[in-house]
Amino acid sequence: MYPNSEQSKKLHDTLNACRWVYNQMVEKTNKEGFQTRNDLNYFLTELKESEKWLYLHHSKMLQMVSTQIDGAQKALIQLRKNGHKTGNLKFARFSEYNTFVYNQSGFEIKDGFLHLSKIGKTRITLHRQIPENSEIKQITISKSKSGKWHACVSCMIDAILPKIDFAKSVGIDVGITNFAYDSDGFVTPNPLNLQKMLKPLARIQRKISRRQNGSNNRKKAVRFYQIVHERIRNKRRDFLHKLSTQYASKYDAVFVEKLQRMNMVKNHRVAQKILDSGWGIFTNMLDYKCKMMVEVSARNTTINCSRCCSMVPKSLAVRTHRCDKCGLVLDRDHNAAINILKKGLGIFGPLSLSLPQELREVKPVEISTRSRKQEAACFSEW
Ligand SMILES: [Zn+2]
């Protein structure tokens, strides 16, 4: 979005209004316990009575804040059920609250402009054509850390269930040095965008710390720091988009291993590199781009021999898989990728009957249903 100064002010005002309503609702839920969406919407009407300025904003857009709180409350309850320690909902700070949602009404996209009710006609660049015969259900407006505005358009289209050809299947093993090694032997090195920029970032940080607190020069340096970080994020996403699109167009079924990412991050020596890799974003992208994407359990994928299934234990330092029983010599990650593919096909594909007993025991229970983010709650109410 390319808002002019007046629109930019209105966008900021809207964000602030939403945050204010959000925090009011957080206070209410913390004081009075669980609130249904109806309760929250009723509370919003009451708020409007005393705070007339809220009428300056699109009403359905403000109501979406209660959907957001509703989702957050339910996520908390779910966490509690899963045995996690949970506190109350937290108040949103200025720097943390960056999105608001126009749902079902109050928007129109026409001739390179996005019209938002109570905000105005903003010039936009459409990155993708909106599919014909589709209905726009929702527009999410977000502000990036460096101050750019983006609109994310959600459309409803008639989905045609894809036919899956299991001959076009692939298993992918992800790693730190090689981002992806697939069962067909194709290797993609890990770009590690953040790692490359650590030195320049440290330089900017030193600069920030030398500047006087509260001065304009310091603000400028901080902003530059955020721009560099945003650029790193963009580069990472660009890489992940290109790679996942490649896999989605080449294969029908893609199998990846289920990563216990949080456990791995505990090892601080590799934590930064793991987070820099963005495997989670990658599987997410594969999930929505591919006809079929399944996470299989990672158990024994590196140890088992992909030809004869005997166990070949190896430490992290051993990069080659050497099987004494059948004589298979293969790159360690390639072997793992083939095992992942076999596991996947063992669950779904034509191989399931011809596989040895131990692989057939892989139960569909191990297929993960990824927990949706809290925000996704906004989408469920169409
Ligand atoms: Zn073997």
Side-chain angles (χ1 to χ4, degrees), residues 48-177:
K48 275 181 169 176
E49 283 306 305
S50 53
E51 310 285 335
K52 294 287 182 208
W53 54 275
L54 283 175
Y55 283 105
L56 291 172
H57 302 287
H58 188 59
S59 73
K60 184 72 208 276
M61 186 272 304
L62 288 176
Q63 281 181 21
M64 288 310 283
V65 179
S66 35
T67 312
Q68 203 182 344
I69 297 265
D70 187 58
Q73 286 185 118
K74 282 175 183 161
L76 267 189
I77 291 171
Q78 191 58 46
L79 278 175
R80 238 169 265 157
K81 268 188 196 161
N82 295 350
H84 290 271
K85 255 190 184 172
T86 53
N88 284 331
L89 285 183
K90 274 189 197 147
F91 292 108
R93 267 184 270 168
F94 176 78
S95 57
E96 292 167 342
Y97 202 94
N98 298 315
T99 58
F100 58 88
V101 179
Y102 272 66
N103 180 275
Q104 281 172 337
S105 63
F107 52 77
E108 193 186 15
I109 295 177
K110 215 177 173 184
D111 309 325
F113 284 94
L114 167 64
H115 186 278
L116 289 171
S117 160
K118 313 263 178 170
I119 289 172
K121 240 169 125 183
T122 319
R123 198 163 59 83
I124 52 166
T125 302
L126 262 188
H127 288 278
R128 232 188 296 171
Q129 278 307 315
I130 289 166
E132 276 176 47
N133 302 324
S134 67
E135 197 187 340
I136 300 178
K137 284 288 183 182
Q138 177 166 287
I139 294 190
T140 307
I141 312 289
S142 62
K143 189 188 147 195
S144 78
K145 279 266 189 290
S146 69
K148 290 184 192 126
W149 292 91
H150 297 270
C152 173
V153 182
S154 311
C155 306
M156 188 157 80
I157 52 170
D158 288 326
I160 306 155
L161 281 180
K163 219 178 172 178
I164 292 159
D165 177 7
F166 279 102
K168 290 199 221 162
S169 303
V170 71
I172 305 174
D173 180 67
V174 293
I176 289 177
T177 29

Side-chain angles (χ1 to χ4, degrees), residues 215-374:
S215 70
N216 263 335
N217 275 330
R218 188 190 165 99
K219 272 183 205 150
K220 247 189 240 167
V222 168
R223 196 177 146 77
F224 184 59
Y225 183 75
Q226 282 165 342
I227 288 175
V228 174
H229 259 298
E230 199 170 288
R231 221 171 273 166
I232 294 168
R233 257 199 312 279
N234 288 344
K235 272 189 184 171
R236 185 184 300 136
R237 289 191 75 84
D238 179 62
F239 164 75
L240 297 172
H241 264 305
K242 279 174 182 158
L243 191 64
S244 55
T245 302
Q246 213 175 323
Y247 277 114
S249 55
K250 203 170 160 194
Y251 299 99
D252 273 13
V254 174
F255 301 107
V256 293
E257 62 183 322
K258 191 174 167 185
L259 295 163
Q260 302 294 328
R261 203 176 61 120
M262 281 342 265
N263 284 349
M264 291 191 293
V265 172
K266 277 177 195 156
N267 178 350
H268 69 267
R269 278 163 63 200
V270 288
Q272 194 175 42
K273 284 181 183 166
I274 288 172
L275 293 173
D276 190 10
S277 303
W279 298 327
I281 313 172
F282 183 61
T283 43
N284 218 343
M285 285 174 176
L286 286 174
D287 195 13
Y288 74 77
K289 288 180 186 177
C290 297
K291 283 184 180 170
M292 180 183 187
M293 196 286 290
V294 177
E295 290 180 307
V296 298
S297 119
R299 199 161 157 242
N300 289 346
T301 45
T302 43
I303 293 172
N304 280 346
C305 170
S306 59
R307 190 188 285 166
C308 68
C309 290
S310 54
M311 306 263 254
V312 187
K314 40 179 126 32
S315 72
L316 263 174
V318 183
R319 300 312 305 171
T320 321
H321 168 85
R322 261 176 240 280
C323 178
D324 296 335
K325 288 238 173 82
C326 68
L328 179 70
V329 178
L330 208 59
D331 186 280
R332 165 206 180 91
D333 295 335
H334 193 179
N335 181 59
I338 295 173
N339 279 329
I340 291 167
L341 172 66
K342 275 192 167 180
K343 268 198 183 181
L345 289 177
I347 301 171
F348 297 99
L351 263 178
S352 47
L353 293 175
S354 61
L355 277 181
Q357 188 62 33
E358 56 190 293
L359 279 180
R360 238 189 289 163
E361 277 172 16
V362 180
K363 291 185 190 70
V365 181
E366 285 175 304
I367 310 161
S368 85
T369 42
R370 204 192 319 287
S371 63
R372 298 282 171 214
K373 278 188 183 166
Q374 288 179 11

